[in-house]
Amino acid sequence: MNQWQIIRWADYHAMPWKNGQGVTQEIMRVDSPNGRDFRWRLSMAEVSSDGDFSSYTGYQRILSILEGDGLQLKIDGRIEPPILTCGIQRFSGDSRVSSALLNGKVRDLNLIYDPRYYGARLQWVTTSPNMPPLRCHASTIILFCHDGEISLTPIGGGESITLNRYDSAVLVTPRPQTHTVDLDGHGHLGVFELTGFDE
């Protein structure tokens, strides 16, 4: 039986941004076999000033806002619509990206992945008691609790998991599989589905 791994907010690893202009709390990453780079990385960071994003050549990025009034990106010279709380922006790590705060600092959630090895998507789910089960199909599933207290019970066997603010639950399988979990409680859940490609 596949087991969910719980990663608590207090256990995330702090590390400097690639451009040295801030600090990231790394939630989880999968390194490449050579150990010099990664296949994907999920992290969150506080952005307290306008500035340029780090370049991640060859990668794709998915960005969402957790706290604050929002962020506006300029991508390759084009000003994008503001990203508000739980909004989602996808862009290439090759792009020239700068950000402007709408009204004070924000905290963001950021997935960076290598599209040669993974496909990825993010959706936000508002949880409530007695809601339908959550169904996911991927080789890596990450459930990120934005707020509230959310209980997850795998259908088909497995212990219930309770996530609080900014905690994560991760399930990794050798191949893409379908997994279903019952959700209970009130809050917002970020659902990341990463599908690994055959090499």
Side-chain angles (χ1 to χ4, degrees):
M1 183 182 299
N2 297 309
Q3 296 294 321
W4 287 87
Q5 174 188 0
I6 305 174
I7 311 175
R8 300 295 182 191
W9 182 14
D11 296 326
Y12 298 163
H13 302 292
M15 56 187 299
W17 290 356
K18 188 178 177 183
N19 63 14
Q21 297 180 15
V23 176
T24 283
Q25 288 182 285
E26 185 177 271
I27 299 170
M28 188 174 181
R29 67 185 282 163
V30 169
D31 288 324
S32 61
N34 62 27
R36 293 192 297 270
D37 48 26
F38 56 82
R39 294 288 172 85
W40 64 263
R41 187 187 79 180
L42 179 64
S43 62
M44 62 181 186
E46 187 174 281
V47 181
S48 56
S49 62
D50 300 348
D52 296 332
F53 274 40
S54 301
S55 174
Y56 281 92
T57 302
Y59 289 86
Q60 291 291 317
R61 303 182 67 165
I62 302 176
L63 184 76
S64 191
I65 300 298
L66 300 174
E67 294 178 30
D69 289 340
L71 195 66
Q72 189 161 48
L73 300 186
K74 186 176 183 181
I75 303 176
D76 292 329
R78 177 190 173 111
I79 297 176
E80 301 292 333
I83 314 172
L84 306 179
T85 302
C86 292
I88 298 170
Q89 178 75 56
R90 301 179 65 103
F91 55 96
S92 170
D94 296 297
S95 294
R96 293 175 291 106
V97 182
S98 60
S99 64
L101 300 168
L102 296 185
N103 184 28
K105 66 183 180 181
V106 302
R107 188 186 300 271
D108 66 28
L109 184 65
N110 183 30
L111 177 69
I112 306 174
Y113 66 97
D114 190 330
R116 295 175 299 175
Y117 303 105
Y118 284 92
R121 72 171 188 147
L122 164 64
Q123 60 176 319
W124 286 102
V125 174
T126 301
T127 64
S128 60
N130 303 315
M131 68 179 293
L134 175 69
R135 185 181 176 91
C136 302
H137 183 84
S139 50
T140 299
I141 301 166
I142 307 171
L143 305 180
F144 176 89
C145 180
H146 177 225
D147 54 38
E149 182 178 281
I150 302 172
S151 294
L152 319 170
T153 304
I155 292 179
E159 296 183 359
S160 294
I161 299 167
T162 298
L163 301 180
N164 295 295
R165 182 171 181 251
Y166 293 168
D167 292 341
S168 299
V170 182
L171 181 65
V172 180
T173 56
R175 300 264 180 190
Q177 297 179 20
T178 299
H179 299 275
T180 308
V181 295
D182 276 324
L183 302 177
D184 192 28
H186 291 280
H188 294 90
L189 194 68
V191 181
F192 289 91
E193 294 167 279
L194 292 105
T195 301
F197 304 142
D198 291 333
E199 297 184 33

Short mmCIF file of all heavy atoms in Angstrom, two decimals, residues 129-179:
data_model
loop_
_atom_site.label_atom_id
_atom_site.label_comp_id
_atom_site.label_asym_id
_atom_site.label_seq_id
_atom_site.Cartn_x
_atom_site.Cartn_y
_atom_site.Cartn_z
N PRO A 129 -17.16 19.98 5.08
CA PRO A 129 -17.62 18.65 5.49
C PRO A 129 -18.57 18.04 4.46
O PRO A 129 -19.37 18.73 3.82
CB PRO A 129 -18.34 18.93 6.82
CG PRO A 129 -17.71 20.18 7.34
CD PRO A 129 -17.40 21.01 6.11
N ASN A 130 -18.43 16.74 4.26
CA ASN A 130 -19.31 15.96 3.39
C ASN A 130 -19.18 16.31 1.91
O ASN A 130 -20.09 16.04 1.12
CB ASN A 130 -20.78 16.12 3.82
CG ASN A 130 -21.00 15.71 5.26
OD1 ASN A 130 -20.50 14.68 5.71
ND2 ASN A 130 -21.71 16.54 6.02
N MET A 131 -18.05 16.91 1.53
CA MET A 131 -17.84 17.18 0.11
C MET A 131 -17.47 15.88 -0.61
O MET A 131 -17.06 14.90 0.02
CB MET A 131 -16.74 18.22 -0.07
CG MET A 131 -15.35 17.73 0.32
SD MET A 131 -14.08 19.01 0.06
CE MET A 131 -14.08 19.14 -1.73
N PRO A 132 -17.62 15.82 -1.94
CA PRO A 132 -17.25 14.61 -2.68
C PRO A 132 -15.76 14.31 -2.52
O PRO A 132 -14.95 15.21 -2.29
CB PRO A 132 -17.59 14.97 -4.13
CG PRO A 132 -18.56 16.09 -4.04
CD PRO A 132 -18.20 16.86 -2.82
N PRO A 133 -15.37 13.05 -2.65
CA PRO A 133 -13.95 12.70 -2.56
C PRO A 133 -13.12 13.41 -3.64
O PRO A 133 -13.63 13.74 -4.72
CB PRO A 133 -13.94 11.19 -2.77
CG PRO A 133 -15.32 10.74 -2.40
CD PRO A 133 -16.23 11.86 -2.81
N LEU A 134 -11.87 13.63 -3.33
CA LEU A 134 -10.92 14.22 -4.28
C LEU A 134 -10.24 13.10 -5.05
O LEU A 134 -9.70 12.17 -4.46
CB LEU A 134 -9.88 15.05 -3.53
CG LEU A 134 -8.74 15.64 -4.37
CD1 LEU A 134 -9.27 16.72 -5.30
CD2 LEU A 134 -7.64 16.18 -3.47
N ARG A 135 -10.26 13.20 -6.37
CA ARG A 135 -9.69 12.17 -7.23
C ARG A 135 -8.51 12.78 -8.00
O ARG A 135 -8.67 13.81 -8.66
CB ARG A 135 -10.76 11.65 -8.19
CG ARG A 135 -10.33 10.49 -9.08
CD ARG A 135 -11.50 10.11 -9.98
NE ARG A 135 -11.16 9.07 -10.93
CZ ARG A 135 -11.31 7.78 -10.70
NH1 ARG A 135 -11.80 7.36 -9.55
NH2 ARG A 135 -11.00 6.89 -11.63
N CYS A 136 -7.36 12.16 -7.90
CA CYS A 136 -6.15 12.65 -8.58
C CYS A 136 -5.52 11.52 -9.38
O CYS A 136 -5.59 10.36 -8.98
CB CYS A 136 -5.12 13.16 -7.56
SG CYS A 136 -5.69 14.49 -6.49
N HIS A 137 -4.88 11.88 -10.50
CA HIS A 137 -4.16 10.89 -11.30
C HIS A 137 -2.79 11.46 -11.62
O HIS A 137 -2.67 12.43 -12.38
CB HIS A 137 -4.91 10.54 -12.58
CG HIS A 137 -4.23 9.47 -13.38
ND1 HIS A 137 -4.41 8.13 -13.11
CD2 HIS A 137 -3.35 9.54 -14.41
CE1 HIS A 137 -3.68 7.41 -13.97
NE2 HIS A 137 -3.02 8.25 -14.75
N ALA A 138 -1.74 10.89 -11.04
CA ALA A 138 -0.38 11.36 -11.24
C ALA A 138 0.59 10.36 -10.62
O ALA A 138 0.18 9.41 -9.95
CB ALA A 138 -0.20 12.75 -10.61
N SER A 139 1.89 10.60 -10.83
CA SER A 139 2.89 9.78 -10.16
C SER A 139 3.35 10.44 -8.86
O SER A 139 3.88 9.77 -7.97
CB SER A 139 4.09 9.53 -11.08
OG SER A 139 4.56 10.73 -11.64
N THR A 140 3.16 11.76 -8.75
CA THR A 140 3.42 12.47 -7.50
C THR A 140 2.25 13.41 -7.23
O THR A 140 1.90 14.23 -8.10
CB THR A 140 4.72 13.29 -7.55
OG1 THR A 140 5.83 12.41 -7.78
CG2 THR A 140 4.95 14.05 -6.25
N ILE A 141 1.66 13.29 -6.06
CA ILE A 141 0.54 14.15 -5.66
C ILE A 141 0.97 14.88 -4.39
O ILE A 141 1.45 14.26 -3.44
CB ILE A 141 -0.74 13.34 -5.39
CG1 ILE A 141 -1.15 12.56 -6.64
CG2 ILE A 141 -1.88 14.26 -4.93
CD1 ILE A 141 -2.19 11.49 -6.37
N ILE A 142 0.81 16.20 -4.41
CA ILE A 142 1.12 17.01 -3.23
C ILE A 142 -0.14 17.78 -2.86
O ILE A 142 -0.70 18.51 -3.69
CB ILE A 142 2.27 17.99 -3.48
CG1 ILE A 142 3.49 17.27 -4.03
CG2 ILE A 142 2.63 18.74 -2.19
CD1 ILE A 142 4.59 18.20 -4.51
N LEU A 143 -0.58 17.62 -1.63
CA LEU A 143 -1.74 18.35 -1.11
C LEU A 143 -1.21 19.36 -0.10
O LEU A 143 -0.64 18.99 0.93
CB LEU A 143 -2.74 17.39 -0.47
CG LEU A 143 -3.22 16.24 -1.38
CD1 LEU A 143 -4.21 15.36 -0.64
CD2 LEU A 143 -3.84 16.79 -2.67
N PHE A 144 -1.41 20.63 -0.39
CA PHE A 144 -0.86 21.72 0.41
C PHE A 144 -2.00 22.48 1.08
O PHE A 144 -2.89 23.00 0.39
CB PHE A 144 -0.05 22.67 -0.48
CG PHE A 144 0.50 23.87 0.22
CD1 PHE A 144 1.74 23.83 0.84
CD2 PHE A 144 -0.23 25.05 0.27
CE1 PHE A 144 2.24 24.95 1.49
CE2 PHE A 144 0.27 26.18 0.91
CZ PHE A 144 1.50 26.13 1.53
N CYS A 145 -1.99 22.53 2.40
CA CYS A 145 -3.05 23.20 3.15
C CYS A 145 -2.76 24.70 3.24
O CYS A 145 -1.80 25.11 3.89
CB CYS A 145 -3.16 22.60 4.55
SG CYS A 145 -4.46 23.36 5.56
N HIS A 146 -3.58 25.47 2.57
CA HIS A 146 -3.40 26.93 2.60
C HIS A 146 -3.89 27.52 3.92
O HIS A 146 -3.23 28.38 4.51
CB HIS A 146 -4.17 27.57 1.44
CG HIS A 146 -4.12 29.06 1.41
ND1 HIS A 146 -5.24 29.84 1.19
CD2 HIS A 146 -3.10 29.92 1.57
CE1 HIS A 146 -4.89 31.11 1.21
NE2 HIS A 146 -3.60 31.20 1.45
N ASP A 147 -5.02 27.04 4.41
CA ASP A 147 -5.55 27.53 5.68
C ASP A 147 -6.54 26.51 6.24
O ASP A 147 -6.92 25.55 5.57
CB ASP A 147 -6.22 28.91 5.51
CG ASP A 147 -7.28 28.92 4.42
OD1 ASP A 147 -8.03 27.93 4.29
OD2 ASP A 147 -7.38 29.92 3.68
N GLY A 148 -6.94 26.74 7.49
CA GLY A 148 -7.90 25.85 8.13
C GLY A 148 -7.24 24.59 8.64
O GLY A 148 -6.02 24.49 8.79
N GLU A 149 -8.07 23.59 8.93
CA GLU A 149 -7.63 22.26 9.34
C GLU A 149 -8.38 21.25 8.48
O GLU A 149 -9.61 21.23 8.48
CB GLU A 149 -7.92 22.02 10.83
CG GLU A 149 -7.44 20.67 11.33
CD GLU A 149 -7.68 20.48 12.82
OE1 GLU A 149 -6.90 21.02 13.62
OE2 GLU A 149 -8.68 19.81 13.17
N ILE A 150 -7.63 20.45 7.75
CA ILE A 150 -8.22 19.55 6.76
C ILE A 150 -7.76 18.13 7.03
O ILE A 150 -6.56 17.86 7.16
CB ILE A 150 -7.80 19.97 5.33
CG1 ILE A 150 -8.24 21.43 5.05
CG2 ILE A 150 -8.42 19.03 4.30
CD1 ILE A 150 -7.70 21.99 3.76
N SER A 151 -8.72 17.21 7.11
CA SER A 151 -8.42 15.79 7.31
C SER A 151 -8.54 15.06 5.98
O SER A 151 -9.50 15.26 5.22
CB SER A 151 -9.38 15.17 8.33
OG SER A 151 -9.17 15.73 9.60
N LEU A 152 -7.56 14.21 5.70
CA LEU A 152 -7.53 13.43 4.47
C LEU A 152 -7.57 11.96 4.82
O LEU A 152 -6.78 11.50 5.64
CB LEU A 152 -6.24 13.71 3.68
CG LEU A 152 -5.73 15.15 3.61
CD1 LEU A 152 -4.33 15.17 3.01
CD2 LEU A 152 -6.67 15.99 2.78
N THR A 153 -8.50 11.21 4.21
CA THR A 153 -8.58 9.77 4.44
C THR A 153 -8.51 9.05 3.11
O THR A 153 -9.44 9.17 2.28
CB THR A 153 -9.89 9.39 5.16
OG1 THR A 153 -10.00 10.13 6.38
CG2 THR A 153 -9.91 7.91 5.46
N PRO A 154 -7.42 8.32 2.82
CA PRO A 154 -7.32 7.59 1.56
C PRO A 154 -8.43 6.55 1.43
O PRO A 154 -8.68 5.78 2.36
CB PRO A 154 -5.94 6.92 1.63
CG PRO A 154 -5.19 7.71 2.66
CD PRO A 154 -6.21 8.17 3.65
N ILE A 155 -9.10 6.53 0.30
CA ILE A 155 -10.13 5.54 0.05
C ILE A 155 -9.46 4.25 -0.43
O ILE A 155 -8.61 4.27 -1.32
CB ILE A 155 -11.15 6.05 -0.99
CG1 ILE A 155 -11.95 7.20 -0.39
CG2 ILE A 155 -12.08 4.93 -1.45
CD1 ILE A 155 -12.96 7.81 -1.34
N GLY A 156 -9.82 3.15 0.20
CA GLY A 156 -9.20 1.88 -0.13
C GLY A 156 -8.19 1.42 0.90
O GLY A 156 -7.56 0.38 0.73
N GLY A 157 -8.04 2.22 1.95
CA GLY A 157 -7.12 1.82 3.02
C GLY A 157 -6.07 2.88 3.29
O GLY A 157 -5.64 3.60 2.39
N GLY A 158 -5.69 2.99 4.52
CA GLY A 158 -4.68 3.97 4.91
C GLY A 158 -5.19 4.85 6.03
O GLY A 158 -6.40 5.05 6.20
N GLU A 159 -4.25 5.36 6.83
CA GLU A 159 -4.62 6.17 7.97
C GLU A 159 -5.01 7.58 7.55
O GLU A 159 -4.52 8.11 6.55
CB GLU A 159 -3.44 6.25 8.95
CG GLU A 159 -3.07 4.91 9.57
CD GLU A 159 -1.94 5.06 10.57
OE1 GLU A 159 -1.46 6.19 10.77
OE2 GLU A 159 -1.55 4.04 11.17
N SER A 160 -5.90 8.19 8.34
CA SER A 160 -6.27 9.57 8.11
C SER A 160 -5.11 10.50 8.47
O SER A 160 -4.31 10.20 9.36
CB SER A 160 -7.51 9.95 8.92
OG SER A 160 -8.64 9.22 8.48
N ILE A 161 -5.03 11.61 7.76
CA ILE A 161 -3.99 12.61 7.96
C ILE A 161 -4.67 13.94 8.22
O ILE A 161 -5.65 14.29 7.55
CB ILE A 161 -3.10 12.73 6.71
CG1 ILE A 161 -2.42 11.41 6.39
CG2 ILE A 161 -2.09 13.86 6.85
CD1 ILE A 161 -1.80 11.38 5.00
N THR A 162 -4.17 14.69 9.18
CA THR A 162 -4.70 16.03 9.42
C THR A 162 -3.63 17.06 9.07
O THR A 162 -2.50 17.00 9.57
CB THR A 162 -5.13 16.22 10.88
OG1 THR A 162 -6.19 15.29 11.16
CG2 THR A 162 -5.65 17.63 11.11
N LEU A 163 -3.99 17.99 8.20
CA LEU A 163 -3.09 19.07 7.80
C LEU A 163 -3.57 20.38 8.38
O LEU A 163 -4.77 20.68 8.35
CB LEU A 163 -3.02 19.18 6.28
CG LEU A 163 -2.54 17.96 5.49
CD1 LEU A 163 -2.53 18.28 4.01
CD2 LEU A 163 -1.16 17.52 5.96
N ASN A 164 -2.64 21.16 8.89
CA ASN A 164 -2.92 22.52 9.33
C ASN A 164 -2.24 23.49 8.37
O ASN A 164 -1.61 23.08 7.39
CB ASN A 164 -2.43 22.72 10.76
CG ASN A 164 -3.20 21.86 11.75
OD1 ASN A 164 -4.39 22.03 11.95
ND2 ASN A 164 -2.51 20.90 12.36
N ARG A 165 -2.36 24.76 8.65
CA ARG A 165 -1.88 25.80 7.75
C ARG A 165 -0.43 25.54 7.29
O ARG A 165 0.47 25.35 8.09
CB ARG A 165 -1.95 27.15 8.46
CG ARG A 165 -1.53 28.35 7.63
CD ARG A 165 -1.86 29.61 8.39
NE ARG A 165 -1.51 30.81 7.67
CZ ARG A 165 -0.50 31.61 8.00
NH1 ARG A 165 0.24 31.35 9.05
NH2 ARG A 165 -0.25 32.69 7.29
N TYR A 166 -0.27 25.50 5.98
CA TYR A 166 1.01 25.36 5.29
C TYR A 166 1.66 23.99 5.43
O TYR A 166 2.80 23.80 5.02
CB TYR A 166 1.99 26.46 5.69
CG TYR A 166 1.58 27.85 5.25
CD1 TYR A 166 2.23 28.97 5.74
CD2 TYR A 166 0.54 28.05 4.35
CE1 TYR A 166 1.86 30.25 5.35
CE2 TYR A 166 0.16 29.32 3.95
CZ TYR A 166 0.82 30.41 4.46
OH TYR A 166 0.44 31.68 4.06
N ASP A 167 0.96 23.01 5.99
CA ASP A 167 1.45 21.63 5.98
C ASP A 167 1.20 21.01 4.60
O ASP A 167 0.31 21.45 3.86
CB ASP A 167 0.74 20.78 7.03
CG ASP A 167 1.09 21.16 8.45
OD1 ASP A 167 2.13 21.83 8.67
OD2 ASP A 167 0.32 20.79 9.36
N SER A 168 1.96 19.96 4.29
CA SER A 168 1.80 19.26 3.02
C SER A 168 1.72 17.75 3.24
O SER A 168 2.31 17.22 4.19
CB SER A 168 2.98 19.54 2.09
OG SER A 168 3.08 20.91 1.78
N ALA A 169 0.99 17.08 2.36
CA ALA A 169 0.97 15.62 2.29
C ALA A 169 1.39 15.23 0.88
O ALA A 169 0.91 15.80 -0.10
CB ALA A 169 -0.42 15.08 2.60
N VAL A 170 2.31 14.27 0.78
CA VAL A 170 2.90 13.89 -0.50
C VAL A 170 2.76 12.39 -0.69
O VAL A 170 3.02 11.60 0.22
CB VAL A 170 4.40 14.28 -0.55
CG1 VAL A 170 4.99 13.94 -1.91
CG2 VAL A 170 4.59 15.75 -0.22
N LEU A 171 2.37 12.00 -1.90
CA LEU A 171 2.30 10.58 -2.27
C LEU A 171 3.06 10.40 -3.57
O LEU A 171 2.78 11.09 -4.56
CB LEU A 171 0.84 10.15 -2.44
CG LEU A 171 0.62 8.68 -2.81
CD1 LEU A 171 1.08 7.77 -1.68
CD2 LEU A 171 -0.84 8.41 -3.14
N VAL A 172 4.03 9.48 -3.57
CA VAL A 172 4.85 9.21 -4.74
C VAL A 172 4.69 7.75 -5.14
O VAL A 172 4.81 6.85 -4.29
CB VAL A 172 6.34 9.52 -4.46
CG1 VAL A 172 7.19 9.23 -5.70
CG2 VAL A 172 6.52 10.97 -4.03
N THR A 173 4.43 7.50 -6.43
CA THR A 173 4.30 6.14 -6.95
C THR A 173 5.22 5.99 -8.17
O THR A 173 5.54 6.98 -8.83
CB THR A 173 2.85 5.82 -7.35
OG1 THR A 173 2.39 6.80 -8.30
CG2 THR A 173 1.94 5.85 -6.14
N PRO A 174 5.65 4.76 -8.47
CA PRO A 174 6.57 4.57 -9.60
C PRO A 174 5.97 5.00 -10.94
O PRO A 174 6.68 5.46 -11.83
CB PRO A 174 6.87 3.07 -9.57
CG PRO A 174 6.54 2.63 -8.18
CD PRO A 174 5.42 3.51 -7.73
N ARG A 175 4.68 4.85 -11.09
CA ARG A 175 3.98 5.19 -12.33
C ARG A 175 2.75 6.02 -11.99
O ARG A 175 2.23 5.95 -10.87
CB ARG A 175 3.53 3.91 -13.05
CG ARG A 175 4.66 2.99 -13.43
CD ARG A 175 5.09 3.22 -14.84
NE ARG A 175 6.18 2.35 -15.24
CZ ARG A 175 6.85 2.50 -16.37
NH1 ARG A 175 6.55 3.49 -17.18
NH2 ARG A 175 7.85 1.69 -16.68
N PRO A 176 2.23 6.78 -12.95
CA PRO A 176 0.99 7.51 -12.68
C PRO A 176 -0.14 6.56 -12.30
O PRO A 176 -0.34 5.53 -12.95
CB PRO A 176 0.70 8.21 -14.01
CG PRO A 176 2.03 8.32 -14.68
CD PRO A 176 2.79 7.09 -14.28
N GLN A 177 -0.82 6.87 -11.23
CA GLN A 177 -1.94 6.09 -10.75
C GLN A 177 -3.05 7.03 -10.31
O GLN A 177 -2.82 8.21 -10.05
CB GLN A 177 -1.53 5.21 -9.56
CG GLN A 177 -0.47 4.17 -9.87
CD GLN A 177 -0.10 3.35 -8.64
OE1 GLN A 177 -0.85 3.30 -7.67
NE2 GLN A 177 1.06 2.71 -8.67
N THR A 178 -4.26 6.47 -10.20
CA THR A 178 -5.39 7.24 -9.71
C THR A 178 -5.54 7.00 -8.21
O THR A 178 -5.53 5.85 -7.76
CB THR A 178 -6.68 6.84 -10.43
OG1 THR A 178 -6.53 7.12 -11.84
CG2 THR A 178 -7.87 7.63 -9.90
N HIS A 179 -5.67 8.06 -7.45
CA HIS A 179 -5.83 7.99 -6.00
C HIS A 179 -7.02 8.87 -5.61
O HIS A 179 -7.22 9.95 -6.16
CB HIS A 179 -4.58 8.46 -5.28
CG HIS A 179 -3.37 7.64 -5.59
ND1 HIS A 179 -3.07 6.48 -4.92
CD2 HIS A 179 -2.40 7.81 -6.53
CE1 HIS A 179 -1.96 5.96 -5.42
NE2 HIS A 179 -1.54 6.74 -6.39
#
